[in-house]
Structures are given as C-alpha cells and as structure tokens.
Amino acid sequence: LRVDGVGIPDDFFALGGHSLLATQLASRVREASWVELPLRRLFEAPTVAALARVVEELAGGGRTQAPPLRPVPRAGDLPLSFAQERLWFLDRFEPGGTLYNMPAAARLAGTLDVSAFAAALGEIVRRHEVLRTAYAEAGAVPVQRVLPWEPLALPVIDLAGLPDEAREGAARDLVKEEGARPFDLASGRVLRASLLKLGEGEFRVYLTFHHIAADGWSIGVFLRELSALYEAFAAGRPSPLPEPGVQYGDFAVWQREWLRGEALDGQISWWREALAGLPEVLDLPADRPRPAVRSSRGAHLPVAFDRETAAGIRALARREGATPFMVILASFQALLSRLSGQEDLAVGSPVANRNRMETEPLIGLFVNTLALRARLDGDPGFRDFLARVREMSLGAYTYQDLPFEKLVEELAPARSTGHTPLFQVMLALQDARAGELRLPGLSVEPLDVDTGTARFDLTVSLEDCGDRLEGFAEYSLGLFDAATVERFLACWRVLLAGLLAETGRRTSDLPLLDAAQERQVLHDWNRTAAAYDREIPVYQLVERWARETPEALAVASAGERLTWREFQERANGIARWLLANGLEPETRVGVVMERSPRMIAALLGVLSAGGAYVPLDPAHPRERLEQQLADAWAGAPVRLLLTQERLAESLPADGVRVLRLDADGTPGGAGGPVSVPV
C-alpha cells in the first residue's frame, strides 16, 4: 500500500523527517489513538508498520497523559505562561529594554491595496487574543487581560518625494528608530506595523512583535494568515479562515494545571540528572574579558553551508539514525570544545513546543529552550560522539514540556549578571519554508533586520533551504570582534568537511584550519629569523628607539602606559640614582617589585648603571628572600635592594641597602624623593 508515493516499509527519516515533524506526528497519534508516543520510540520504529506495533503496545501501557487543551471561561484575568512570566519580570527589572523586540520586514513591489492590507492585519489581531492582551498586576501577581478588539493602526509614511539617493537612507533610519522603541506591556499593544512608500509601486512593510506575544513559529502563522486574508479582502470576499478553537490564554491555564505534581516531578527529575555537575560557564577565546554585567549589544554575520555540505550532513544523519540537526549540533559542540578546551559543555536550542495539534495554528509564546549537554570525555570518535548527542537530544525532546524558566528555578544554578544560566551559546535550525508572505499582484522580498542586540554570547541560527543551509551568527560585542567570530565559523566549516570525509576520526583530530591557514600559522607566522647586532647592549637599543620613535608605545600593563621617551627617562633616572648611591660595576641589585612598567624600567636602569639585576618575587616568604639575597650569584651577595614603598617594610634589610621607588616609578625614600637629572 502506498499513499502519495509513500509506502508502509518506507523510513520516516529517510523521507526527510526531522524532530519537528516527529513532534507533529506524535501529536497526531495522540489525537487519533489517545496514546502518548515518546519521540525515542519513533526513532526506534521509523516505518508505518513498526510504528503501528509500537502504538498498539503503548495503548495498554498506562503512560501518564496530559489533559486535553480546551477553552476556559473569560470571566476575569488569566495567568501568564511560564515563559511569559519570565519576560514580564525582565521587563519590570529593566523597563524600556528592546532585547525582546522581534522585527520582520519585507520589500513589496507592485500594486498594493493599502486598505485591504490594513484590514488583514486588523483581522489577525482580532483572531488572536494574545495580540491584544495587556499584562497587568493583580495582587502582586502578573496576569493576562484580554482587551476588546480595535482596528490596527497602519501608519503610511510617504518617502516618494525625497531624492532617489536619500530614500533608502531615510527608510533605514526609520527602521532603526522603530527597532529602538520599547513596548509598554501594560497597554496591550504588543504588535506594531508601519508601511513606507518609496515610489510608485514600491513599498516597505515593517512589523515588530514583542516576544511575550509571539515566537518564530508565530511569525509563520502570521504571514500565512496575512496572505490568505489580503487575497480575500482585496477581492471583496470575507475571511476564509476558520476561527481558532482555543487561544493562547487557554494554553497558559492548561500549562499551569498540568505541570504540577507527578507530571512536573518526572520532568524535573530527568533534567536534574541530565545536567548534574554541568560547568557554570563556557569560556570561548574572546577579545575582551567577560564584563561583570552582560552587555546586550550585538551584531550579525552571515553563515552559509554549500550544497555539498548540506547533502553530506543529511547522508550522515540517515546512516547513523539521527537527524540533520543532531549532526549539525554534534559538529558545533565539537567545535566549541576544541575552541574552549572544555570536554563538558551545554548548548541551548529552541524547540517549537507545539506538540499538541490545537497549538499549531496559534500565535503566541510557545517556544521552549533546551539545554543540550555534550560530553567529550575519553576523546570519542565523531560517530560515537554523535550517538551521545542523539541520546541526549531524544531525552530532551521527551521532556521538552518543562519550561526553561521552571528548569532554572528548580536547578538554581549560581546566578551571575555576567552570563546567562546553564548555557551561553545557542544553536537553532529552522525550515525556511515554514512561513512565506504571498500577496497577489505583488512580488515580496524578505529583508534582514539587525536589531543590534544579542541575547547570548553567541547564537547561530540556520535555515534549511532545501539544497543548502543559510543563516546568521549573532554575537555579543561585549566579548567578540567580528573577525574572531568569522574565524570561529571558518573553523566550523573546515571541521564539518573533515568529519564528513572521515566520520570515525576522534573529535580531537578533526581539522580546524584549511591548508592555507595551517601553512600561515605553522610556517609563515613562525618565520621570525632576523639579524641582530649581538654586541649592542639592550639599554643602547632602547636609547635608539627612544630617539627614533619617542612617542610610540613601549610598555603597557593594567592601564599604565609608557612611551619610549618616558621609558628611557625613567630607566636613566633610576640608573643615575643607583650610581649616586654607591653602585659599582657588576654589583648585584635585587629588584623586588610587582609586575608593572615601572618594574621593567627598574631592570633596565640597573643594566644602564652597569649592575646586574636579581629578580625577586615579593610573594615569596621572607625566609626565601633572605636566602636569595645572601647567595644570589656564585657566592656574591646582594648589597642593594630596589623595591616599592609599600613593600619595603616586609623585606629583610640586614646587610642590604634598601632603595625605594615611589608609586610613579621615581626614586624616593625616607628622606623624600631624590631628584636626579636624566
């Protein structure tokens, strides 16, 4: 038996099935047979025949089922979902933020019926209560308050009168201003729309959602409904769309009622075991130290994998009983391990969390985030590591109903303002065909909108475009420069090519550099041979540099900077001071100073005066310093000791003359600073 070319013995994943489609299949099995189908069982039985046997087995198994999702009375306020509650608290903690603004934009060319377009937008707001819901407090508890429907205001900004060269710039400025506008969640306006007219038959449409009311799947729902409604209204027909059976508020009530007691405990138990002992932070090599307070400033870079790589990923997934996402995730986690040197790490990944048919046509914040842990201990081959990633992913999908916010609350990891809890890097894979805007009489071109923000240290978001993978990398400007992230992505491409060519290689052996990069690192950058005049003392070389480039930077540390001129002046001042205090040729001078530019100047000053410096660590015990002073060099004791004012009192002084430097590196002592001309 075959239906649409698909037969009973055909493999679900070989036909292009993936985790999202598997979730939808499970929801349809539940709808048809009232059986809760774990995704793991679908991976074990991916054909119609095998799956039928599994469903028959589970039908008598007594697995705990979630209650049905049904409409609830609208007698008063409704609770927030767990995810909404977190965003509400974040908005109260940092009012006026735009980190959770979700922009979407498109270029329209052709004949646009502006009235029909505005009416279609308004109808979507009427259909979906979440787009006209205010978030208020009732007894210190946040609640959803559905507002009566009002037509959506669609401002039309006419830029056609501007000179040609000024229109695009004005449009970009308006988009930037729109993205920087915060939402007032108490007002109930969580969607903004604007239309820009750039000329006859040329428009830009911009939509901005607040994440509390929508997620990535919601944008697809929105675009499909907008397409259907505009086509109908432009032709003078009524809405062709059926009314939603439930609303997002019904889901929030259902989630609160179900995720408690035994159902909640079972979810938490699995996650607690899966993430036990997870390191607090993933330390990628960054351009700047991690700030005490995480910055939300970010930027984007494009990411793309060609047709050959995309095909190789799918082929490897089929051979190993995995999904393309699992292969991409495993390669990404292997890259992060190599870059950070950590064998235990977690990567966040969003899941649609629409595992009930009733939620699929809704707009709202359903998306959940999974912390997918990777363990690379024992240096596994990539095939073995992929098996570990597959096992973790299947378990996470099985227990994906636990909201991330509830997971963080239950695990209570060490909280820090400098990084996000549980993971700091995110990976997402979406279907690019999930939602397209199709308007009769118009060509539609989606536009990328860079919000200038980053929710994590690094987020890689890819779209499956059929024959290739495309997307972007969003990174924190508080940590990374663009060039660093570009190197990360280049290493990832090389690593992927290496593992696809030889899947049995150990993860530690997977290449990160192509042939040209390897030659540059190992050979070109190591060609350091140079001719030096070995007869010129170092202090004379410093004099030459000070003479030729007096204002160039010579020494820098912890905010203190010395030019070559300043460096030579300080060293010469110390040298003359040492000579004035009895330094003779080849006299040993102990230098007990903290590491700083002034310490470097002191060492050079000793050499310039004809002495020999003996570096001593101020952190060593007094007894250790006494031993070093007594027998510093072939039996010759140290007679002069150069140090800092605040260290002098703790140093041994028997038989040693202690000379002190003030905080600015100038000579000084009990009698005050000694002025020595340079």
Side-chain angles (χ1 to χ4, degrees):
L1 175 65
R2 304 187 73 83
V3 179
D4 294 332
V6 178
I8 290 177
D10 291 327
D11 186 287
F12 173 78
F13 297 102
L15 293 170
H18 48 71
S19 301
L20 178 56
L21 288 176
T23 300
Q24 291 179 291
L25 175 59
S27 71
R28 280 147 180 76
V29 169
R30 180 193 305 111
E31 184 75 12
S33 62
W34 281 91
V35 167
E36 292 289 343
L37 175 65
L39 292 191
R40 182 185 303 277
R41 299 302 302 272
L42 176 57
F43 276 78
E44 295 168 349
T47 67
V48 174
L51 187 60
R53 290 191 292 270
V54 170
V55 171
E56 185 177 0
E57 171 194 334
L58 293 174
R63 176 179 164 88
T64 301
Q65 294 183 348
L69 174 54
R70 294 172 178 166
V72 299
R74 294 297 192 268
D77 297 330
L78 298 173
L80 275 63
S81 69
F82 290 110
Q84 283 185 320
E85 188 174 68
R86 174 175 173 268
L87 293 190
W88 183 84
F89 278 117
L90 289 174
D91 183 75
R92 295 295 297 269
F93 180 73
E94 190 177 354
T98 59
L99 186 60
Y100 291 96
N101 284 12
M102 295 178 58
R107 178 185 289 112
L108 310 180
T111 303
L112 176 66
D113 186 332
V114 176
S115 297
F117 193 78
L121 291 172
E123 173 64 7
I124 295 174
V125 174
R126 185 200 67 78
R127 288 169 48 79
H128 297 275
E129 292 179 351
V130 73
L131 297 179
R132 49 186 171 89
T133 294
Y135 299 87
E137 277 188 273
V141 175
V143 294
Q144 295 190 61
R145 190 166 293 163
V146 179
L147 303 179
W149 175 78
E150 295 179 358
L152 180 72
L154 178 63
V156 180
I157 303 171
D158 194 343
L159 303 178
L162 295 177
D164 292 347
E165 63 275 7
R167 291 176 195 165
E168 289 293 342
R172 285 194 298 270
D173 291 342
L174 288 171
V175 172
K176 188 175 182 180
E177 292 174 9
E178 164 59 29
R181 285 174 55 202
F183 282 93
D184 176 10
L185 298 184
S187 72
R189 293 181 176 87
V190 289
L191 167 63
R192 296 194 296 261
S194 58
L195 188 66
L196 275 60
K197 182 177 182 181
L198 276 71
E200 189 63 33
E202 186 179 0
F203 300 88
R204 306 282 190 278
V205 60
Y206 295 101
L207 305 170
T208 308
F209 300 80
H210 193 284
H211 197 22
I212 202 168
D215 53 20
W217 182 300
S218 299
I219 304 299
V221 173
F222 188 95
L223 295 179
R224 288 193 296 272
E225 291 198 356
L226 180 58
S227 300
L229 291 168
Y230 175 81
E231 181 179 5
F233 292 169
R237 299 193 303 269
S239 168
L241 302 177
E243 288 295 303
V246 293
Q247 294 284 343
Y248 185 81
D250 302 315
F251 166 78
V253 172
W254 173 88
Q255 184 188 57
R256 295 276 179 176
E257 290 181 347
W258 177 50
L259 280 180
R260 59 185 180 183
E262 180 182 348
L264 179 62
D265 292 343
Q267 297 264 339
I268 292 174
S269 176
W270 186 88
W271 282 105
R272 191 183 299 279
E273 181 178 351
L275 300 180
L278 177 70
E280 181 180 340
V281 180
L282 174 62
D283 280 321
L284 292 174
D287 298 292
R288 286 166 287 281
R290 184 178 295 278
V293 178
R294 190 175 66 86
S295 170
S296 62
R297 292 175 53 249
H300 283 187
L301 284 173
V303 182
F305 295 104
D306 59 23
R307 179 176 306 184
E308 182 180 355
T309 302
I313 289 171
R314 295 189 184 94
L316 176 57
R318 287 194 297 270
R319 290 198 305 270
E320 300 300 323
T323 65
F325 173 74
M326 293 175 186
V327 174
I328 294 170
L329 173 64
S331 70
F332 189 55
Q333 290 176 324
L335 171 74
L336 297 176
S337 176
R338 294 284 297 280
L339 293 175
S340 66
Q342 295 177 222
E343 294 183 340
D344 189 1
L345 56 95
V347 169
S349 184
V351 288
N353 201 30
R354 310 242 182 175
N355 48 16
R356 306 193 69 82
M357 288 182 61
E358 302 93 329
T359 64
E360 292 179 13
L362 297 184
I363 292 174
L365 179 55
F366 294 91
V367 67
N368 196 15
T369 305
L370 306 180
L372 301 176
R373 188 176 192 173
R375 292 180 178 272
L376 294 99
D377 50 295
D379 193 16
F382 184 78
R383 183 179 288 109
D384 293 335
F385 177 56
L386 177 58
R388 297 183 189 182
V389 171
R390 178 183 181 275
E391 188 68 18
M392 175 69 197
S393 299
L394 289 177
Y397 295 149
T398 300
Y399 295 94
Q400 66 176 283
D401 290 315
L402 181 67
F404 181 74
E405 297 73 24
K406 194 68 176 175
L407 173 64
V408 173
E409 177 185 325
E410 292 293 333
L411 296 186
R415 305 306 290 266
S416 169
T417 57
H419 62 79
T420 52
L422 298 185
F423 62 84
Q424 295 78 47
V425 175
M426 175 83 83
L427 176 67
L429 177 63
Q430 303 172 23
D431 187 343
R433 299 156 295 185
E436 296 181 12
L437 183 59
R438 299 178 180 274
L439 305 177
L442 290 156
S443 65
V444 181
E445 178 188 351
L447 297 175
D448 293 330
V449 182
D450 188 348
T451 62
T453 60
R455 297 178 188 173
F456 300 95
D457 294 356
L458 177 65
T459 298
V460 175
S461 181
L462 296 173
E463 290 187 343
D464 186 345
C465 302
D467 62 345
R468 66 196 186 282
L469 297 168
E470 293 182 351
F472 63 86
E474 177 187 276
Y475 60 95
S476 170
L477 289 172
L479 292 174
F480 304 112
D481 293 332
T484 299
V485 179
E486 286 176 342
R487 283 195 297 272
F488 290 171
L489 298 174
C491 291
W492 191 15
R493 281 188 284 270
V494 174
L495 182 144
L496 255 173
L499 71 87
L500 290 176
E502 189 179 349
T503 56
R505 295 179 70 171
R506 295 192 178 277
T507 53
S508 63
D509 292 335
L510 291 171
L512 295 181
L513 305 176
D514 60 26
Q517 293 169 327
E518 187 171 299
R519 184 172 58 252
Q520 182 183 49
V521 172
L522 298 181
H523 301 287
D524 296 350
W525 287 352
N526 283 303
R527 291 174 183 165
T528 58
Y532 291 100
D533 190 338
R534 298 180 180 276
E535 302 303 320
I536 299 179
V538 66
Y539 60 85
Q540 290 183 6
L541 290 174
V542 172
E543 289 175 0
R544 178 194 299 175
W545 293 324
R547 184 172 57 253
E548 295 176 355
T549 57
E551 301 308 316
L553 180 64
V555 188
S557 175
E560 186 178 1
R561 301 163 62 88
L562 295 178
T563 65
W564 284 109
R565 176 184 56 78
E566 295 168 335
F567 182 42
Q568 185 197 22
E569 287 175 353
R570 291 199 182 187
N572 282 352
I574 293 169
R576 293 181 183 277
W577 185 56
L578 288 170
L579 291 170
N581 283 272
L583 180 70
E584 297 179 355
E586 299 188 9
T587 300
R588 277 62 165 169
V589 179
V591 180
V592 189
M593 300 180 67
E594 295 169 333
R595 295 187 179 187
S596 65
R598 69 178 69 102
M599 183 195 76
I600 305 299
L603 299 179
L604 184 63
V606 173
L607 296 178
S608 299
Y613 63 78
V614 179
L616 303 169
D617 191 338
H620 283 174
R622 185 185 182 96
E623 294 76 9
R624 170 67 173 157
L625 294 176
E626 287 178 346
Q627 180 184 0
Q628 290 177 294
L629 289 172
D631 190 14
W633 192 324
V638 172
R639 298 302 183 191
L640 290 174
L641 191 62
L642 195 59
T643 187
Q644 297 164 255
E645 184 73 32
R646 69 187 196 84
L647 298 175
E649 298 302 323
S650 61
L651 299 176
D654 295 343
V656 180
R657 186 172 185 189
V658 179
L659 307 176
R660 306 175 186 183
L661 292 179
D662 289 344
D664 62 356
T666 59
V674 177
S675 177
V676 180
V678 178

